[in-house]
């Protein structure tokens, strides 16, 4: 009986040692994958391509009030990034972001806005006119279109390193009042199709140093110059097409 006991104990010890040895061996051979703790400043697409975000450029935006332009200023001069709740930048993706009321607080009183003249519809029988409020944000954003300049060139890189100085992109604008919002689209969203009657936003780098760009809906890529779509806030409802000539000048601060 004692002999059987010691034999069984011996087998248990050997089995335990084998388990421990196997565990240590597996741990040494395991591939250690560091956890993503969310602290990376790069986007998933940037990590995938290995590209880094571009330098954000703070801007001074001049909105041309010449006769014939239908997006004009509030008459208070240039719009400076960081002044009077204005955001005006070329962001890390190389696009233009412009907000006249860049505040998350609903209690903030707007100091700047732009003016829209929507009295020139493409269809003269179109009587729809939105009523945006100067107390709300006027939003502008740009980006690349597969029907415009392709591939998209970040605006910071226009006219440098062999890149062209001009390209055709989309621009999407937002206008609001206390109850309603609208989208004003130059080849953006539902309008970014091959046969859209809307114009592209044509961006031109006019100076490298100091850095200056212009944006206008006129160019060889826009057979229907100055035309924008007016849609509901979610983009599904089309109110019509309107002539909305504008001319912005962007200068790096």
């Amino acid at each position: 009986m004692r002999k059987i006991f010691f034999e069984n104990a011996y087998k248990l010890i050997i089995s335990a040692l084998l388990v421990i040895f196997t565990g240590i061996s597996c741990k040494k051979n395991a591939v250690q994958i560091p956890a993503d703790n969310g602290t990376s400043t790069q986007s998933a697409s940037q990590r995938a391509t290995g590209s880094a975000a571009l330098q954000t450029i703070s801007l001074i935006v001049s909105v041309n009030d010449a006769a014939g332009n239908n997006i004009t200023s509030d008459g208070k001069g240039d719009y400076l990034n960081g002044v009077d709740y204005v955001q005006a930048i070329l962001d890390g993706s190389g696009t233009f972001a412009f907000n006249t009321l860049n505040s998350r607080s609903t209690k903030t009183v707007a100091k700047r806005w732009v003016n829209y003249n929507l009295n020139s519809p493409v269809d003269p029988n179109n009587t729809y006119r939105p009523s945006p409020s100067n107390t709300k944000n006027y939003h502008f954003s740009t980006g690349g279109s597969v029907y415009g300049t392709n591939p998209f060139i970040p605006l910071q890189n226009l006219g440098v390193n062999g890149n062209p100085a001009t390209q055709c992109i989309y621009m999407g604008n937002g206008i609001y009042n206390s109850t309603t919002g609208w989208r004003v689209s130059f080849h953006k969203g539902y309008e970014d199709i091959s046969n859209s009657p809307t114009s592209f936003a044509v961006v031109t780098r006019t100076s490298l140093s100091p850095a200056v760009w212009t944006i206008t809906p006129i160019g060889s890529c826009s057979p229907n110059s100055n035309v924008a779509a007016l849609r509901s806030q979610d983009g599904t409802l089309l109110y019509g097409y309107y002539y909305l000539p504008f001319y912005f000048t962007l200068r790096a601060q």
Side-chain angles (χ1 to χ4, degrees):
M1 181 67 71
R2 182 177 296 177
K3 182 179 180 180
I4 294 173
F5 174 80
F6 282 116
E7 284 180 352
N8 290 339
Y10 175 78
K11 290 178 180 178
L12 287 171
I13 293 170
I14 294 300
S15 297
L17 289 173
L18 286 173
V19 171
I20 293 170
F21 177 79
T22 301
I24 293 172
S25 178
C26 291
K27 188 173 183 180
K28 285 182 179 179
N29 294 328
V31 177
Q32 299 299 313
I33 302 175
D36 184 357
N37 58 11
T39 59
S40 173
T41 58
Q42 289 185 311
S43 68
S45 61
Q46 289 165 351
R47 289 195 297 270
T49 61
S51 61
L54 294 163
Q55 178 183 3
T56 298
I57 297 179
S58 182
L59 298 172
I60 300 170
V61 177
S62 299
V63 178
N64 190 297
D65 291 338
N69 285 334
N70 286 339
I71 302 178
T72 54
S73 79
D74 55 10
K76 298 182 179 181
D78 293 341
Y79 300 79
L80 279 65
N81 182 54
V83 177
D84 291 337
Y85 307 115
V86 168
Q87 180 192 45
I89 61 172
L90 298 186
D91 64 19
S93 298
T95 64
F96 173 50
F98 180 34
N99 290 284
T100 60
L101 180 57
N102 187 42
S103 174
R104 295 183 179 181
S105 173
T106 57
K107 297 181 179 180
T108 302
V109 178
K111 294 185 177 182
R112 303 300 307 267
W113 57 87
V114 297
N115 291 304
Y116 276 81
N117 180 348
L118 289 156
N119 292 320
S120 298
V122 174
D123 179 358
N125 295 316
N126 181 354
T127 60
Y128 185 80
R129 302 292 184 270
S131 54
S133 170
N134 290 343
T135 66
K136 302 297 180 180
N137 181 38
Y138 286 83
H139 165 77
F140 300 82
S141 63
T142 67
S145 166
V146 295
Y147 302 102
T149 302
N150 197 12
F152 170 74
I153 303 166
L155 302 194
Q156 291 93 323
N157 295 341
L158 279 179
V160 299
N161 298 326
N163 287 318
T166 297
Q167 73 172 333
C168 299
I169 60 178
Y170 73 67
M171 175 180 276
N173 309 353
I175 57 179
Y176 315 89
N177 62 25
S178 59
T179 61
T180 309
W182 298 266
R183 288 186 185 183
V184 178
S185 300
F186 294 89
H187 237 281
K188 183 179 181 181
Y190 285 89
E191 297 299 332
D192 197 20
I193 54 178
S194 60
N195 61 346
S196 172
T198 62
S199 308
F200 287 98
V202 181
V203 183
T204 302
R205 181 80 172 261
T206 61
S207 174
L208 294 180
S209 183
V212 181
W213 300 260
T214 62
I215 305 180
T216 184
I218 302 174
S220 60
C221 58
S222 294
N224 300 310
S225 295
N226 299 319
V227 176
L230 179 68
R231 290 181 172 271
S232 57
Q233 188 168 5
D234 64 3
T236 58
L237 178 61
L238 175 66
Y239 294 109
Y241 296 96
Y242 297 75
Y243 291 107
L244 281 175
F246 69 87
Y247 193 92
F248 292 176
T249 300
L250 322 178
R251 290 176 285 138
Q253 290 200 56

